[in-house]
Amino acid sequence: MDDIEVTPASGAWRKHSLITGKRYKKNFITFERLLDRSIDNITTSALSNVSNQIIITDTSSKRDVCRVVKVTKDSNKDSVKPYSLSVIKEFIQEASFKSVSWYNDSMVVGSTDGQIYYYNNDPTSSSDDPELRETYTITKLKGNKEVSQTIGSQAQSTTIKHVSINELASNTFSSLENNYFHIWDFADAVRPTISFKVSDQSVDCMQWSPHSRHFSLLGGSDLSLRITDTRIMSSYNSVKKSPIVWSNIKSSSSSSSSPLSNQSSSSSYSSSLHDSIKDVAWHPFVPYWFASASSSGSISIYDLRSTLEPVIKFNAHNSSISKIQWCPGHSELMVSSSIDGEYKMWSLLNEPHYNLFQKDEVSPFVYSGFFENDGYNNIGVNQSGELYYANISPKFMNPIIHSKFSKKEKLEKVTERLIYHRDFTTGFENAIQLANKHSRLKNLEKAKNLLSLCFQQNIDDGLSDVLKMVQQQPPKTSCRNQTIKDIKSYAYNIPPGYYEKYGTKLSTALMTKIKELKVNLDIQYSIKNFSGEEIVDIEREILNTLKTDHTSIRLETIVELVTVLLNYDPVKCYQFALQLIEVFKSKLNICLPILRLLVSPSIFEKRTNPLNRSTIINDTVPIPSSQQSPTVQSRKDTGIKSQTSSISSSPVMLNRSGGLSNSGNQLRDSSGSISYNSGDIEETRLNDYFSNYEFMVQQLTFLRDFIKILLSPTPISDGSNPNVEDIIDFASKNRPSPILSMSVNRIYLSILSDMFIFDQLYIVLLNLMETLGEDYELYPLLDEIYQLQTPDFISFLKNSQMPDRLKPYDTERFSTPLLIVISIIYNVPPQAIPIELNEILLSCLPVLIEEIDNSLISTIQQPDPSNTQPGKLQSSSKAKNILDLVKTITEAKKSSSLNSPMTERNRNSTNLTKLTSTTSSPSPPSQSLSPVFKVSTQIQSLIQNLNTVLNKYIY
């Protein structure tokens, strides 16, 4: 073990240290050292992606040999040496090796004689030495010798400078020699699949993107960096389109020009003739970040969303850098090694010097890196055969971990550190406990910060997306500030793709608790900020959480959530409520407070002061008016002068957000539990309806679609387009009986009154009056509408019975009031129709039938001149249409009667003024959506008479 103390930074930088600048104790970082005296000259190394093994290649005067070294952790926690390094395999090299790539059990090695060797090297086995499988030869280099470089020319070399297995397409690998990039198929040793001349200058290093199998990053002389797309490269010889999709150089030859190569750049290093890129490294988590290391000792960090200049650049070493690598578990950490005899660890958050520690030796370091699943521990290899494994204590890292909590909040800081050190189980359990505590104290920001530590970050844009974007519109400004912000976020939280990369296994119960708590916090946060938009974003997450466990979100929280959503977007609120009912289908009683809220104020709300008939809706704006345009006029019946109806001018409205007003009802008491005033709502009557799943689905579906049409630009159409269903057509076809929302009833009745839709108006009005009594809040309004509209309706019926001498063929003049009367009689229980009105309706029917008969005869004798058909055909067509409409009304009634027989009730009212005493109960919602009763014999006889008259003219 090395007894030398480790400094957090070099002497020149120590004063800038963000920590303390003091030396750390020896037990903060310990180095396990392997020194093999038989090794003369290590040229290159590579780490296994499966286990803590590293291969080192020795090119010495004694023999060429490769060794596989394993780092083993002692299971005894009290051991003096917690880690040990040992050689587990070795084999004689086929030649002097210059580069190596090791992925799973495949190992590719590039030599100095132009050949590439493919070995089977199983990292899970400690006994089987690597076995040579295949040899690949670049023909043009075979038998050649190294050629010295002359002035103005490119030196020719037989060395394979770099090899790399494509981890996302593991049947292929690549190699670099001189200024050529070759792609090989493991199954074809004869020739490369693709060969591409990258530049006129040397290309020294490359790496396949770990995020997309098509892209590779190449670095070469003059600090040039290029990203190539193999899909374009494969067709380069035929289409002559450059496969280089990004480059940081100002200009290049025609064969390697980049779409971004002409972008203006003020970088001073781009003109350096003697500096070159010695290594490149894609970021393991962020697809559009990568790093490069130069022969002058500098490290540069690039963000493809930015300009061609690096977003971060610092002088890392005094001489050429041999290797850089990102930490596979922490997005802000890196290591580097250099021929200046130093290998160092870096944190991009540790500005301005970035250095965390350095290891100084006399011999040059040729390699440094992190094992795949070993946290921030790392390893360095120097040329003389020394391997240093850095065992880093969490105490060393703790001072540089960013925290969002104060010094007094020690438990919160401990939780941050546990998760940073990837002790997920303990850290997540602490986060849940503390987040619950802060949630109860209403410290939602702190609770959300803690819980955010349990979730990995997400990235929306992939590498292809960013490259396409910068090709279409090259960035003109640096995004350094955004990159720094992202680095801090990914360092504090779990970086993007971490779980997918390492397959982190956490207990299902633990992750369920975290997700449920997150949903609850998101809801509380949205409620606190009254943000319906945020609730819409997490709607699916809420429903999935409730499907897993009905009790995972507190009922009070759901009610508050629905309240916010109702005021934000009532249509989405009702849709959300329908999904909630589906989730709680087997336990509808859980949804009762939510259902009450959505229909509040309901039609069963009692009057607190019978003398006070002022509007119950506050903070209101008028509903979308019919605008009294031709739309309205087309709906009105001719020959009627409307009285000034108070319903037209009364505030039948929605609240300002578009949602239905709750009229100030307090659904929650001071303790947060749901409560109702027994004097406000007759709960038992509502519960009769709420207990029926099908009825509630239809009720909420109707409310959702009704409000959606109401808030549309044209809620009432002019009837010119039969395919457009306006609010009147929709409600007449789909309304449940009754509509439980008082607000929607007021709006609907107001529209029907203003538009003189008498049949629908009286069907809804009289059925509601039958259902309710004087003690209910809505009843005075219903009575007022009845008193105002009935004179107009009676006048309309009387005028309709007078024939038009100028148009004796106008059958519609009589058929329209006839159908209105039949529709009312067949959809309103007899006891709900006041006697005077009932008598008028019954007296109209024979007269209207007779007038229809006369008009049909007149049509035969004097056809309608606007119709080209003969009079007899016109009369037959009219009769058939009327008959069909009558059948639609009467047969629908017969069907409902057969399905739900109901005893005829006694008439309670004796005249118009006595109508207010009617207080009968509603029909059970499970029976029928329309009132069910038996039509009198007199009515049936009149309908039969009508059918006889109409059938005379149909042929």
Side-chain angles (χ1 to χ4, degrees), residues 253-266:
S253 64
S254 60
S255 64
S256 59
S257 61
S258 163
L260 299 177
S261 61
N262 293 324
Q263 182 180 327
S264 175
S265 173
S266 59

Side-chain angles (χ1 to χ4, degrees), residues 244-258:
I244 299 173
V245 293
W246 183 93
S247 175
N248 69 333
I249 55 179
K250 284 186 175 181
S251 60
S252 59
S253 64
S254 60
S255 64
S256 59
S257 61
S258 163

Side-chain angles (χ1 to χ4, degrees), residues 152-392:
S153 65
Q154 171 69 35
Q156 295 298 313
S157 172
T158 59
T159 299
I160 306 298
K161 298 177 183 179
H162 199 97
V163 290
S164 179
I165 299 173
N166 189 342
E167 296 181 4
L168 299 181
S170 54
N171 61 324
T172 62
F173 69 92
S174 61
S175 64
L176 293 179
E177 51 87 10
N178 295 303
N179 54 353
Y180 277 86
F181 174 47
H182 304 285
I183 299 177
W184 301 79
D185 189 318
F186 278 110
D188 185 3
V190 177
R191 64 180 64 85
T193 306
I194 300 172
S195 293
F196 174 67
K197 182 180 179 182
V198 179
S199 169
D200 292 331
Q201 303 298 319
S202 174
V203 182
D204 300 320
C205 54
M206 68 83 58
Q207 186 186 33
W208 289 101
S209 168
H211 308 285
S212 175
R213 63 190 179 94
H214 302 295
F215 297 101
S216 57
L217 174 64
L218 295 90
S221 59
D222 299 343
L223 293 175
S224 62
L225 290 164
R226 298 174 175 87
I227 297 176
T228 63
D229 186 341
T230 56
R231 293 170 296 185
I232 304 175
M233 193 181 297
S234 60
S235 59
Y236 173 67
N237 292 330
S238 58
V239 299
K240 296 300 179 183
K241 180 181 178 182
S242 174
I244 299 173
V245 293
W246 183 93
S247 175
N248 69 333
I249 55 179
K250 284 186 175 181
S251 60
S252 59
S253 64
S254 60
S255 64
S256 59
S257 61
S258 163
L260 299 177
S261 61
N262 293 324
Q263 182 180 327
S264 175
S265 173
S266 59
S267 176
S268 59
Y269 61 85
S270 64
S271 60
S272 173
L273 298 177
H274 304 289
D275 203 357
S276 61
I277 301 295
K278 290 301 180 183
D279 197 22
V280 291
W282 287 100
H283 196 279
F285 300 112
V286 185
Y288 41 80
W289 290 354
F290 63 86
S292 68
S294 72
S295 58
S296 63
S298 65
I299 292 177
S300 299
I301 311 298
Y302 288 85
D303 187 330
L304 291 175
R305 301 171 302 174
S306 184
T307 58
L308 299 182
E309 295 182 2
V311 290
I312 297 174
K313 182 183 179 183
F314 55 92
N315 293 321
H317 294 272
N318 296 324
S319 189
S320 180
I321 297 175
S322 56
K323 184 67 179 177
I324 56 170
Q325 191 179 102
W326 294 94
C327 178
H330 295 272
S331 59
E332 81 282 12
L333 302 181
M334 300 178 69
V335 289
S336 64
S337 56
S338 170
I339 63 174
D340 63 3
E342 295 178 342
Y343 109 85
K344 301 178 180 181
M345 183 177 178
W346 310 91
S347 171
L348 297 183
L349 296 181
N350 205 23
E351 296 183 278
H353 52 79
Y354 303 108
N355 188 233
L356 293 181
F357 79 78
Q358 63 188 51
K359 184 65 177 172
D360 299 323
E361 290 295 329
V362 176
S363 178
F365 276 90
V366 298
Y367 188 86
S368 60
F370 296 91
F371 288 113
E372 192 67 24
N373 200 0
D374 195 22
Y376 32 69
N377 295 342
N378 50 74
I379 195 166
V381 181
N382 69 15
Q383 200 172 55
S384 62
E386 292 176 298
L387 278 72
Y388 293 94
Y389 177 76
N391 176 22
I392 302 174

Side-chain angles (χ1 to χ4, degrees), residues 43 45 109 225 267 307 314 348 402 434 484 494 577 626 639 645 747 749 751 762 765 777 854 886:
T43 55
S45 295
V109 184
L225 290 164
S267 176
T307 58
F314 55 92
L348 297 183
H402 176 61
L434 293 170
I484 297 297
I494 300 171
S626 55
S645 171
I747 295 169
L749 288 171
I751 294 172
Y762 279 96
L765 182 66
E777 184 70 37
N854 293 335
V886 171

Side-chain angles (χ1 to χ4, degrees), residues 11 170 239 242 318 377 396 470 509 548 577 599 642 689 849 870 913 928 949:
S170 54
V239 299
S242 174
N318 296 324
N377 295 342
F396 177 83
V470 299
T548 305
V599 300
S642 172
Y689 292 95
I849 293 172
T913 59
S928 176
V949 169

